[in-house]
Amino acid sequence: MSTYIGTEPTFGNYDKQLITGDGSTATFTLDFPVAQAGQLLVSMDGIVQEPSFSYNISLYSGSPKITFASAQANGARIFMQANIITIAYHSKWTSF
């Protein structure tokens, strides 16, 4: 069963991760590679968060981390989805 309304995407990277706030942690390790905050859609208890304001992305020892502006409430449901579209390039496409 598809989790998409309409046609499921056939290209791009749409990895997902769900974490739960514990009231004291502001930094979490991501399960998938992300280079910048704008490549993630993040919602906290159903409220979409603003990239580079509510959270930022960084790399520590090769593991991508998300750091929130403050620790999330105990039990807060934090849903993240990568929105990375891969564009194919072929040298013949540049010839006119």
Side-chain angles (χ1 to χ4, degrees):
M1 184 171 129
S2 176
T3 58
Y4 293 91
I5 296 173
T7 305
E8 185 170 345
T10 57
F11 62 91
N13 178 7
Y14 300 97
D15 290 320
K16 299 173 189 160
Q17 183 175 350
L18 179 64
I19 56 178
T20 303
D22 63 6
S24 62
T25 304
T27 301
F28 299 89
T29 301
L30 294 172
D31 293 341
F32 45 84
V34 176
Q36 57 188 355
Q39 293 178 318
L40 274 182
L41 173 64
V42 177
S43 73
M44 189 176 317
D45 288 333
I47 300 170
V48 175
Q49 302 299 300
E50 182 180 351
S52 301
F53 180 76
S54 299
Y55 64 91
N56 276 300
I57 303 299
S58 57
L59 292 174
Y60 295 107
S61 302
S63 298
K65 308 262 187 210
I66 184 168
T67 302
F68 291 97
S70 61
Q72 304 311 304
N74 190 29
R77 186 176 191 274
I78 305 161
F79 175 79
M80 297 172 285
Q81 179 176 328
N83 296 310
I84 303 169
I85 297 175
T86 305
I87 299 174
Y89 171 78
H90 193 283
S91 62
K92 290 183 180 180
W93 294 346
T94 61
S95 299
F96 295 97

